[in-house]
Amino acid sequence: MKQMRKFKIGAFTLIELLVVIAIIAILAGLLLPALAKAKQKAVRINCASNLKQVALAFRIWEGDNGDKYPQEYAGNTTYPGVNNTAVPWNTQANAWTADGTGCPGEYTVFAVMSNELNNPKVIVCPADAERLARTNFTSDMVNASVKNFGTSYFVGKDADETQPQMFLAGDRNMASSTTVTTQPYGYSDANGATASAGGYVKFLGTNAGTGLLSTTTFGWSAKMHQNAGNVALADGSVQQFSSSALIQALGHTGDTTTTPGPNTILFP
C-alpha cells in the first residue's frame, strides 16, 4: 500500500513578515520625498512655461502698440480696457503718487492682452491654491466678480524692454516677513499692510536701503513654490529665483524710477 507524501507548504513566519513590512516602509520613506520634490519641480516648470507665454504676449502687444507695455497706459483714456472708470487700476486719482495704494484693476493688464494670451489659464500658477484658472477673459474675469482672483502673477509697473533685466511679471508670493498671512489677495507684510480689498502696489527697491529691501526678511514666501518663485524679465526670459537670488536680481534691473520708487510692482 502506497503512502501519500505530505508536502509542507512554506509560509512567512511572523518575524519574516515584520521584516518585509519594515523594509517596504523604509523604501517608501526614501522614495516619497524624492517623488514630492519631482512633483514640485514639475509644477514650477509648468509655472515657468506659463510665464514664458505671458512674456511673449507682452512683447507681441508692445510691438503693435507704440513699443509700450499695456501697464504704461494707466490713466490714458485711449486704452479703456486697461484703465476705465468702472475698474480703475488704483483707488486714488493719481495711481503712482504713493507706495502702498490699492490696485483693484491689476488683472486688466492681462485682459487687454486677451488676444495675445488666448486663454486666461496661463495667468494662474499651478502652485497657487488660492487662485482658480478661468476659461474666458470677458465672461469669467472682466464681467464677473473674479477679477484679480483670476491671476497669480504680478506686473512690473515700469517694465521697459530697453532695460532687459527689469521685472515684467512673476509669482505673487513675496513677503517681508517669515509669517505669511492667508489674505486672498496678493501682498501682505510684517506691518499688517494687506491687499484684502483687491490688488496692491509696492516698490521693492534695488538695495537694502530702499523699499521692501530695507528689511532683511524680504523674499519669497512658502505659499506657492516653497520659498522660491519665477520671474519673467523685460527681455522675455523667465528666471527661477531663490529669495537671495531675487534680492540680487532687484539690484541689477537698472530701474531708476523715483516715484514711488524703483521696481514698483502691481500685485493682484
Side-chain angles (χ1 to χ4, degrees):
M1 184 177 178
K2 294 182 179 181
Q3 294 182 347
M4 298 292 294
R5 291 185 179 180
K6 294 182 179 180
F7 293 95
K8 186 177 180 180
I9 300 176
F12 285 113
T13 65
L14 178 59
I15 294 178
E16 290 172 333
L17 185 60
L18 291 175
V19 170
V20 170
I21 293 174
I23 293 173
I24 293 174
I26 292 171
L27 291 175
L30 294 174
L31 290 175
L32 287 178
L35 292 174
K37 287 183 179 179
K39 183 178 179 180
Q40 290 175 5
K41 184 176 181 180
V43 168
R44 192 171 178 188
I45 291 174
N46 192 1
C47 172
S49 177
N50 284 357
L51 277 172
K52 190 67 178 178
Q53 294 182 63
V54 169
L56 179 61
F58 270 105
R59 299 298 295 273
I60 294 174
W61 196 92
E62 174 203 36
D64 295 333
N65 293 272
D67 294 328
K68 292 184 178 182
Y69 292 127
Q71 59 268 37
E72 294 186 60
Y73 290 103
N76 188 330
T77 56
T78 304
Y79 292 85
V82 182
N83 182 40
N84 58 60
T85 55
V87 188
W89 283 54
N90 203 284
T91 54
Q92 297 185 4
N94 190 329
W96 318 120
T97 55
D99 173 41
T101 53
C103 189
E106 190 265 1
Y107 73 96
T108 62
V109 178
F110 300 108
V112 78
M113 299 188 297
S114 59
N115 289 336
E116 289 77 12
L117 288 168
N118 189 39
N119 194 315
K121 290 182 179 180
V122 299
I123 61 174
V124 172
C125 172
D128 192 347
E130 295 178 356
R131 303 297 165 90
L132 181 64
R134 309 295 167 168
T135 57
N136 185 281
F137 276 103
T138 302
S139 61
D140 291 347
M141 293 181 68
V142 178
N143 295 335
S145 59
V146 176
K147 305 188 186 309
N148 281 349
F149 273 119
T151 179
S152 301
Y153 300 131
F154 69 72
V155 171
K157 169 189 168 289
D158 300 300
D160 184 348
E161 70 168 353
T162 63
Q163 296 286 348
Q165 298 304 304
M166 287 183 70
F167 285 17
L168 178 60
D171 287 313
R172 67 186 181 91
N173 60 314
M174 293 182 189
S176 62
S177 171
T178 54
T179 302
V180 182
T181 66
T182 56
Q183 288 290 340
Y185 283 100
Y187 181 82
S188 62
D189 66 19
N191 299 318
T194 62
S196 58
Y200 213 68
V201 182
K202 295 291 285 187
F203 84 89
L204 307 185
T206 57
N207 55 59
T210 63
L212 292 182
L213 295 187
S214 60
T215 172
T216 58
T217 57
F218 174 77
W220 300 105
S221 74
K223 183 176 289 187
M224 289 161 57
H225 291 297
Q226 298 300 312
N227 301 110
N230 297 320
V231 175
L233 303 179
D235 63 1
S237 67
V238 175
Q239 304 293 326
Q240 297 182 341
F241 291 136
S242 63
S243 289
S244 59
L246 172 67
I247 295 173
Q248 291 179 3
L250 288 169
H252 294 87
T253 60
D255 188 1
T256 57
T257 304
T258 56
T259 304
N263 295 315
T264 299
I265 301 297
L266 316 180
F267 289 94

